[in-house]
Amino acid sequence: MIGQITSGLFGGHDDSKKVKGTVVMMNKNVLDFTDLAGSLTGKIFDVLGQKVSFQLISSVQGDPTNGLQGKHSNPAYLENSLFTLTPLTAGSETAFGVTFDWNEEFGVPGAFIIKNMHINEFFLKSLTLEDVPNHGKVHFVCNSWVYPSLNYKSDRIFFANQPYLPSETPELLRKYRENELLTLRGDGTGKREAWDRIYDYDIYNDLGNPDQGKENVRTTLGGSAEYPYPRRGRTGRPPTRTDPKSESRIPLILSLDIYVPRDERFGHLKMSDFLTYALKSIVQFILPELHALFDGTPNEFDSFEDVLRLYEGGIKLPQGPLFKALTAAIPLEMIRELLRTDGEGILRFPTPLVIKDSKTAWRTDEEFAREMLAGVNPIIISRLQEFPPKSKLDPEAYGNQNSTITAEHIEDKLDGLTVDEAMNNNKLFILNHHDVIIPYLRRINTTITKTYASRTLLFLQDNGSLKPLAIELSLPHPDGDQFGVTSKVYTPSDQGVESSIWQLAKAYVAVNDTGVHQLISHWLNTHAVIEPFVIATNRQLSVLHPIHKLLYPHFRDTMNINASARQILVNAGGVLESTVFQSKFAMEMSAVVYKDWVFPDQALPADLVKRGVAVEDSSSPHGVRLLIEDYPYAVDGLEIWSAIKSWVTDYCSFYYGSDEEILKDNELQAWWKELREVGHGDKKNEPWWPEMKTPQELIDSCTTIIWIASALHAAVNFGQYPYAGYLPNRPTVSRRFMPEPGTPDYEELKRNPDKAFLKTITAQLQTLLGVSLVEILSRHTTDEIYLGQRESPEWTKDKEPLAAFDRFGKKLTDIEKQIIQRNGDNILTNRSGPVNAPYTLLFPTSEGGLTGKGIPNSVSI
């Protein structure tokens, strides 16, 4: 039998016994969309024989020749496969037998070493020892790519699923624990290779490509007071030829090869890899094809019927040589997926939720306002606390930036109240994009974009819905920033040309909101800020650490998707720059906004209070009382937040009973110190950082981390296609200013308001690119793991945390029922609104695809 030991550690011992185990693994599977049916057949069995060895490490018997570290068993080798598990799209899991010699002195294995003498890597999912005498089952969760041993400087080691605080680690495993962390940290030098598992930090100096000319130079983000930024994962690529401070980029065709630690891209057909491939296809093949098509025709939609044709009939693509080149470059399955074609070259998209029930309800004032509470960016609206609204911009640099909205503009719409009475009764709210946009607006308007900075005032009506009162659109003063702004105020109208002007004013607000949503609410506040937590956790918290086990699922695929974004989305000339109004200034703007990022304020209750839409109230179920009672994001979010916090409290309380236990946990303290001083190092001196001296600080911090990675990201991501897939509802760009009386544009607005509207917002080509992007971003993969779920049911051996996690899952199921109930309550008008789109973005689970619901554990798309 393979694995039979005849000499060595247990050779010749009368008391030696056999311990049988099961190894679950997958072979190397290159992501190859030309062979979606590729499988393991004929390949996995190459690992049999003595090509993969396993050595158990005792947690009770020391080895005097190895510094009293745990003793190693003799090597054991894979035996014939036992069975094949669930087939995947591109491969399957296969279980193998393995047999170890064991004796009483060896005791319980706490870890094992694996050596791969094969030429290829494979994915090791788990090892389970079925019946260790006097102990029972021992399970090792691995979920890791194992490359040939020649690629590694140290042994690959995996630990059993019994968590230990550092001080409680069995003495014989302590050195293994410490050495594994040293391996994961690396030494901060050299170019990273595909097999590396090293987690390290870098600044965002890889967005531009100065070697390709001035237009491709971008500001370095991070490492400066002017442009602070969270750190990204280090790749170690060489500098550019033109600028030694900029990191060189890899060719677009190699986008899948951008470095992230290997286990951050462990899946076979994960959505993030699909996204990278899909976006590469759009940029490389589809975009030139569409350019060729639309350069020869007017670059406009002439009517809303033209726009609707994208979903109902499709746009016929030309069948010339370019289209043939497209079909040759991308497999047919991919073209059907990306272009929504029926095989006849018809570009077609699924109908977005916002126009499914009614093709016109999106244009109503009620829906415009409702989406600030239940749309894709429900985290900006705030209560108006001073009138007129004041700017926080430096008057020395920007002059007078205060609002020009007066009581005369709005008092006739306040149901008989004065402005002061309405404010005192918590009835006035504002969507305020003014201060974020003004510092960049002069430069933005030198591009094809022609837009404004906006303030929108709203009134909370007795039925719980919001009513827009006025929109202020501002431009930098023509004589210079120090002279302030020129502003104009627009009020609602449903008659004549004034009605068309009001619709355009709302469109300019939507352009502001869409750009802020993509760059700030979505990219910065979830993707970018969470990456340092991923890196610090892997560098400073052992896989044995309970907090590593708590947070690990919430980091799945994040580094991978962020690396893909830097390569294709947020880079110079990337898809995002091509679709949002900020254009080449987009990422730099997000760095300026990061100056105001405060970690404790990312907690949902703190955020709601800070925006003035809730007040602290100990008698309320979640400690805060909403001032807009029918606020779907906040209502559902507080339920989810509280469920997460209860789970984290139960979990952390099992391991930490006192402040002293927090303070003496050297891994925990190193983690938090590195996170503050390096990962978010540009904000290391901020006074608001939790000190990590008490169990409550740990609970609050972990709750916030999980909230950002799961529910906050879901709320701002998966509604993109439902609401922004129909671009007139969420235009990304405006291309001309508001028409002025006496101009040809004004006459066109009177004559054909729909055409004038469409000529103002996103152009046809950008619309197609933008809709393609948000459709991909809004999809769930079929193997997604949602909040309250784990990839392995045996992720920990500790029974009380497992029971607490089970309670967490049951609580989320209850929340799903409550969401369904609320969505069926006709009194809660903001739940569905005029477009009849029930709010489900914080519904915990989902099936795969474009569903507009589901909270994945992590920022994975």
Side-chain angles (χ1 to χ4, degrees):
M1 175 187 289
I2 295 169
Q4 180 71 42
I5 307 300
T6 57
S7 62
L9 176 63
F10 299 129
H13 281 241
D14 293 334
D15 62 347
S16 66
K17 300 176 183 176
K18 304 293 183 190
V19 171
K20 290 193 173 295
T22 302
V23 175
V24 178
M25 60 192 293
M26 296 185 280
N27 79 318
K28 174 186 177 182
N29 179 71
V30 177
L31 189 67
D32 182 2
F33 282 92
T34 60
D35 181 21
L36 289 178
S39 73
L40 301 175
T41 312
K43 297 177 184 176
I44 193 73
F45 301 106
D46 291 349
V47 298
L48 296 178
Q50 297 200 350
K51 292 184 176 176
V52 181
S53 72
F54 297 79
Q55 286 180 282
L56 300 177
I57 300 173
S58 173
S59 62
V60 294
Q61 184 183 25
D63 182 355
T65 67
N66 191 22
L68 284 178
Q69 296 182 60
K71 201 158 195 172
H72 296 186
S73 73
N74 282 317
Y77 301 93
L78 293 177
E79 300 156 8
N80 289 334
S81 63
L82 304 174
F83 51 83
T84 296
L85 300 171
T86 314
L88 302 176
T89 307
S92 58
E93 298 169 359
T94 299
F96 296 88
V98 62
T99 303
F100 297 93
D101 285 335
W102 180 91
N103 65 25
E104 295 288 348
E105 292 174 353
F106 192 81
V108 181
F112 72 86
I113 289 170
I114 184 169
K115 290 184 178 173
N116 176 9
M117 279 73 77
H118 195 257
I119 59 170
N120 287 326
E121 69 269 29
F122 55 80
F123 186 74
L124 180 65
K125 188 157 186 179
S126 63
L127 165 64
T128 306
L129 303 179
E130 305 302 341
D131 188 13
V132 176
N134 304 318
H135 190 77
K137 186 163 82 167
V138 178
H139 187 70
F140 301 81
V141 178
C142 305
N143 287 332
S144 182
W145 287 97
V146 179
Y147 274 73
S149 294
L150 289 173
N151 293 122
Y152 297 125
K153 294 177 183 175
S154 56
D155 288 334
R156 290 301 315 272
I157 186 169
F158 294 94
F159 296 94
N161 66 340
Q162 175 62 61
Y164 294 106
L165 294 174
S167 61
E168 296 169 353
T169 310
E171 193 59 42
L172 300 178
L173 297 179
R174 193 179 300 275
K175 199 71 182 167
Y176 293 108
R177 176 176 183 149
E178 292 168 357
N179 287 343
E180 176 70 356
L181 282 174
L182 289 174
T183 297
L184 292 171
R185 286 178 207 143
D187 61 7
T189 65
K191 181 177 180 290
R192 301 274 66 90
E193 302 294 346
W195 52 83
D196 280 339
R197 306 165 54 236
I198 294 171
Y199 293 80
D200 206 354
Y201 303 94
D202 212 338
I203 55 179
Y204 279 69
N205 62 348
D206 62 339
L207 298 175
N209 196 347
D211 291 347
Q212 291 189 350
K214 269 187 181 176
E215 68 278 7
N216 288 300
V217 173
R218 292 296 180 271
T219 302
T220 292
L221 308 182
S224 70
E226 189 177 7
Y227 300 113
Y229 221 64
R231 297 301 186 260
R232 63 169 174 95
R234 180 183 177 275
T235 70
R237 293 197 303 268
T240 60
R241 295 188 308 276
T242 316
D243 177 10
K245 292 184 178 178
S246 292
E247 183 173 281
S248 59
R249 297 180 58 77
I250 59 175
L252 192 64
I253 197 76
L254 299 177
S255 293
L256 288 178
D257 297 333
I258 188 167
Y259 174 77
V260 292
R262 187 60 180 98
D263 290 343
E264 297 301 321
R265 190 186 289 138
F266 60 81
H268 275 222
L269 205 56
K270 295 292 183 250
M271 183 59 101
S272 54
D273 283 327
F274 174 84
L275 172 70
T276 304
Y277 189 91
L279 290 178
K280 180 164 73 75
S281 302
I282 289 173
V283 173
Q284 200 167 10
F285 302 113
I286 297 173
L287 195 52
E289 170 69 11
L290 295 176
H291 268 305
L293 169 62
F294 294 114
D295 282 353
T297 61
N299 197 18
E300 303 293 349
F301 292 110
D302 292 326
S303 66
F304 287 113
E305 287 70 30
D306 273 1
V307 183
L308 291 171
R309 204 169 296 132
L310 279 177
Y311 317 99
E312 295 172 347
I315 292 179
K316 182 79 172 172
L317 290 174
Q319 299 297 302
L322 277 171
F323 187 77
K324 286 179 180 164
L326 175 70
T327 57
I330 307 176
L332 188 57
E333 300 88 357
M334 289 292 294
I335 292 177
R336 285 184 178 140
E337 190 65 25
L338 291 170
L339 288 187
R340 297 278 139 210
T341 78
D342 55 4
E344 298 299 320
I346 304 292
L347 184 64
R348 184 186 294 117
F349 295 93
T351 302
L353 187 65
V354 75
I355 55 166
K356 213 163 224 175
D357 193 66
S358 164
K359 301 296 184 282
T360 58
W362 65 273
R363 302 195 80 171
T364 62
D365 287 358
E366 185 182 343
E367 180 60 23
F368 169 72
R370 185 192 77 91
E371 289 182 24
M372 300 176 199
L373 305 174
V376 72
N377 194 26
I379 63 173
I380 304 294
I381 189 171
S382 60
R383 181 162 53 90
L384 188 68
Q385 301 189 51
E386 56 183 357
F387 185 85
K390 287 192 173 71
S391 170
K392 293 180 181 173
L393 293 173
D394 180 5
E396 291 287 319
Y398 295 104
N400 181 7
Q401 294 283 337
N402 294 335
S403 176
T404 60
I405 300 174
T406 65
E408 288 71 32
H409 285 122
I410 64 173
E411 276 198 336
D412 61 336
K413 306 173 197 70
L414 300 181
D415 292 356
L417 300 175
T418 65
V419 170
D420 283 345
E421 288 169 341
M423 278 194 0
N424 291 336
N425 287 320
N426 302 321
K427 292 269 192 182
L428 289 181
F429 295 83
I430 183 169
L431 187 74
N432 192 348
H433 293 306
H434 182 95
D435 284 5
V436 170
I437 291 168
I438 276 291
Y440 280 87
L441 189 53
R442 193 182 301 277
R443 283 173 283 172
I444 288 169
N445 282 340
T446 65
T447 68
I448 61 164
T449 297
K450 299 292 178 280
T451 198
Y452 303 89
S454 67
R455 293 181 176 107
T456 305
L457 294 194
L458 305 110
F459 179 68
L460 180 62
Q461 301 181 105
D462 290 342
N463 69 355
S465 67
L466 290 171
K467 176 172 71 175
L469 299 172
I471 292 171
E472 180 182 47
L473 301 179
S474 302
L475 288 170
H477 198 283
D479 296 334
D481 287 352
Q482 69 272 26
F483 295 103
V485 287
T486 59
S487 301
K488 192 163 182 182
V489 178
Y490 300 89
T491 55
S493 173
D494 57 7
Q495 299 295 320
V497 71
E498 293 302 320
S499 169
S500 303
I501 285 173
W502 174 244
Q503 291 295 333
L504 277 177
K506 290 192 294 181
Y508 290 117
V509 173
V511 168
N512 276 191
D513 198 60
T514 300
V516 168
H517 163 259
Q518 283 289 18
L519 265 298
I520 313 302
S521 304
H522 184 204
W523 167 258
L524 174 66
N525 286 347
T526 63
H527 285 260
V529 301
I530 212 70
E531 186 160 357
F533 290 91
V534 183
I535 299 171
T537 300
N538 282 281
R539 285 170 54 87
Q540 299 297 343
L541 296 180
S542 164
V543 293
L544 288 167
H545 200 289
I547 301 304
H548 186 289
K549 289 187 181 294
L550 172 68
L551 296 177
Y552 170 76
H554 304 290
F555 300 151
R556 180 184 193 245
D557 266 1
T558 299
M559 289 187 74
N560 194 16
I561 200 67
N562 285 3
S564 298
R566 295 197 314 274
Q567 175 67 8
I568 292 169
L569 273 182
V570 299
N571 59 301
V575 177
L576 210 62
E577 279 196 4
S578 303
T579 54
V580 296
F581 79 89
Q582 299 99 320
S583 186
K584 64 184 180 181
F585 305 106
M587 287 293 281
E588 188 181 304
M589 270 183 74
S590 72
V592 174
V593 173
Y594 175 66
K595 291 178 182 180
D596 295 325
W597 184 81
V598 176
F599 174 69
D601 287 350
Q602 308 311 301
L604 179 61
D607 168 60
L608 295 171
V609 170
K610 186 174 185 177
R611 290 191 282 122
V613 294
V615 291
E616 292 180 0
D617 182 357
S618 58
S619 67
S620 293
H622 311 292
V624 296
R625 177 170 54 84
L626 291 173
L627 299 179
I628 304 175
E629 291 182 16
D630 184 12
Y631 186 170
Y633 161 75
V635 172
D636 295 358
L638 285 169
E639 297 279 355
I640 299 290
W641 168 268
S642 294
I644 295 171
K645 187 161 188 179
S646 293
W647 148 238
V648 172
T649 300
D650 289 348
Y651 184 86
C652 291
S653 300
F654 181 74
Y655 296 101
Y656 298 97
S658 68
D659 296 357
E660 183 188 359
E661 288 174 311
I662 293 284
L663 290 168
K664 76 176 185 182
D665 186 335
N666 61 305
E667 285 185 10
L668 189 74
Q669 294 303 323
W671 170 66
W672 198 246
K673 177 180 169 66
E674 182 172 285
L675 192 64
R676 294 193 324 266
E677 296 183 0
V678 185
H680 282 280
D682 295 334
K683 302 185 85 67
K684 64 184 175 185
N685 296 320
E686 298 285 2
W688 41 253
W689 281 108
E691 293 183 294
M692 204 52 71
K693 291 182 175 178
T694 67
Q696 192 60 52
E697 286 183 317
L698 176 63
I699 289 165
D700 291 344
S701 297
C702 289
T703 302
T704 300
I705 293 165
I706 293 170
W707 165 261
I708 293 170
S710 59
L712 179 60
H713 179 257
V716 298
N717 184 73
F718 294 102
Q720 289 189 82
Y721 196 79
Y723 287 103
Y726 183 65
L727 230 64
N729 185 53
R730 300 275 301 171
T732 58
V733 169
S734 52
R735 296 172 288 145
R736 59 183 189 177
F737 294 120
M738 184 72 82
E740 294 293 336
T743 63
D745 286 350
Y746 193 85
E747 292 307 309
E748 182 185 45
L749 185 66
K750 287 202 290 190
R751 192 172 59 252
N752 191 340
D754 287 355
K755 186 169 184 177
F757 182 96
L758 292 167
K759 281 173 74 171
T760 301
I761 65 165
T762 317
Q764 198 171 40
L765 177 62
Q766 279 177 300
T767 294
L768 299 177
L769 186 60
V771 172
S772 298
L773 172 65
V774 297
E775 186 193 358
I776 294 165
L777 292 177
S778 301
R779 285 183 171 274
H780 290 294
T781 178
T782 51
D783 65 352
E784 189 64 84
I785 301 171
Y786 296 95
L787 195 62
Q789 301 174 354
R790 288 266 176 159
E791 192 163 25
S792 168
E794 296 178 272
W795 59 274
T796 181
K797 194 175 180 186
D798 287 334
K799 288 187 169 50
E800 285 190 43
L802 284 172
F805 189 67
D806 188 54
R807 291 196 296 275
F808 178 46
K810 288 185 168 71
K811 177 62 178 171
L812 292 171
T813 301
D814 290 342
I815 291 171
E816 289 188 340
K817 293 173 185 171
Q818 292 166 24
I819 289 173
I820 292 169
Q821 193 173 12
R822 283 193 286 269
N823 283 343
D825 187 340
N826 293 331
I827 295 173
L828 301 175
T829 56
N830 296 329
R831 296 296 305 190
S832 298
V835 296
N836 193 23
Y839 187 74
T840 54
L841 292 175
L842 288 174
F843 190 90
T845 58
S846 175
E847 54 279 4
L850 205 57
T851 64
K853 64 178 182 178
I855 304 175
N857 269 325
S858 62
V859 179
S860 58
I861 185 77

